[in-house]
């Protein structure tokens, strides 16, 4: 006679098997880091501002992820980005703290705080990622760069940024405002340059 609970037990076992098959192996995680290397390196270099530190942060993130057993296949690329950012931020923690001390007063106008609810769109992210990381490093301090990556690109909440950056909320907000202001100006300059080039190519009548 069939046990009355066997059907439910079988369903649970099938569900466990299904979940197990959707988890990635350590080798698959390493493969994702290799496939996404350019993207992850850009992110790491923007935060650290140093080639060697960026490479080391990526290596640390890859090693950490290889020992993590609960990453689902659908999340693995996002996970690789997340741990790379964490490793990069950890590598420049002292520089971020030093940057925070320079924000003694508000760098944002009252109206600027409306942008704290904003994150970069896919198009804005694509545009920003075309920028040489060294140009971003030259324009923004480590805290502003980290806030731009975390909040702007990864869409982390301000609260999560505060926890990861270990900086007061109003300082994170000021740094993010500064980064957004710079990015708007950069995008505006790029647009003007593109329009100028198009105008120069247009034959006069």
């Amino acid at each position: 006679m069939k046990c009355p609970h066997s059907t439910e037990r079988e369903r649970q076992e099938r569900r466990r098997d299904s979940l197990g098959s959707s988890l990635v192996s350590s080798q698959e995680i390493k493969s994702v880091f290799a496939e996404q290397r350019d993207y992850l390196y850009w992110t790491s270099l923007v935060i650290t501002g140093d080639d060697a530190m960026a490479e080391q942060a990526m290596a640390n993130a890859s090693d950490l992820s290889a020992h993590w057993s609960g990453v689902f296949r659908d999340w693995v690329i996002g996970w690789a980005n997340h741990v790379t950012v964490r490793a990069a931020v950890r590598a420049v923690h002292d520089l971020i703290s030093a940057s925070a001390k320079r924000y003694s007063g508000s760098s944002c106008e009252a109206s600027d705080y409306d942008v704290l609810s904003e994150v970069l769109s896919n198009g804005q992210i694509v545009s920003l990622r075309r920028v040489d990381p060294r140009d971003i490093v030259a324009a923004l301090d480590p805290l502003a760069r980290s806030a731009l990556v975390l909040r702007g690109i990864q869409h982390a909440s301000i609260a999560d940024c505060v926890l990861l950056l270990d900086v007061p909320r109003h300082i994170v907000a000021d740094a993010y405002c500064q980064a957004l202001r710079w990015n708007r100006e950069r995008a505006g300059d790029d647009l003007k340059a593109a329009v100028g080039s198009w105008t120069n190519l247009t034959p006069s009548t």
Side-chain angles (χ1 to χ4, degrees):
M1 180 178 178
K2 189 173 183 179
C3 174
H5 300 296
S6 61
T7 302
E8 178 61 26
R9 188 184 307 116
E10 288 169 0
R11 277 200 294 266
Q12 291 176 354
E13 288 175 354
R14 283 197 299 270
R15 183 171 181 271
R16 282 196 298 269
D17 291 342
S18 175
L19 287 174
S21 65
S22 66
L23 296 176
V24 295
S25 66
S26 60
Q27 188 57 47
E28 287 176 301
I29 291 177
K30 283 189 173 294
S31 295
V32 168
F33 271 87
E35 292 166 2
Q36 299 292 318
R37 188 186 188 288
D38 289 346
Y39 187 99
L40 297 175
Y41 179 72
W42 184 94
T43 300
S44 187
L45 185 55
V46 166
I47 293 174
T48 63
D50 179 85
D51 291 287
M53 293 177 73
E55 291 281 3
Q56 187 59 55
M58 289 174 59
N60 292 343
S62 179
D63 290 343
L64 173 65
S65 296
H67 298 293
W68 196 268
S69 59
V71 182
F72 287 94
R73 186 163 282 106
D74 291 345
W75 301 348
V76 66
I77 293 178
W79 170 256
N81 278 286
H82 175 70
V83 293
T84 298
V85 168
R86 287 183 65 90
V89 166
R90 191 175 297 116
V92 291
H93 178 269
D94 291 344
L95 295 177
I96 290 173
S97 297
S99 295
K101 294 176 182 177
R102 302 189 190 108
Y103 291 84
S104 56
S106 175
S107 64
C108 290
E109 300 295 335
S111 60
D112 283 344
Y113 280 98
D114 292 338
V115 304
L116 293 181
S117 61
E118 295 181 12
V119 293
L120 300 185
S121 66
N122 288 338
Q124 289 172 319
I125 292 172
V126 169
S127 173
L128 179 60
R129 285 188 52 79
R130 293 194 185 108
V131 179
D132 188 322
R134 292 162 186 81
D135 292 339
I136 303 176
V137 171
L140 298 172
D141 62 63
L143 175 56
R145 299 194 310 264
S146 299
L148 181 61
V149 170
L150 279 166
R151 177 66 177 150
I153 296 177
Q154 294 204 332
H155 301 176
S157 68
I158 294 294
D160 286 342
C161 293
V162 168
L163 288 174
L164 183 56
L165 299 173
D166 194 24
V167 170
R169 186 184 189 281
H170 70 282
I171 299 296
V172 173
D174 286 345
Y176 184 54
C177 277
Q178 179 177 313
L180 285 182
R181 187 184 300 126
W182 167 82
N183 191 52
R184 285 196 298 266
E185 293 171 355
R186 174 201 63 79
D189 290 342
D190 287 350
L191 180 60
K192 289 177 184 176
V195 170
S197 298
W198 181 84
T199 302
N200 291 335
L201 291 173
T202 302
S204 57
T205 56

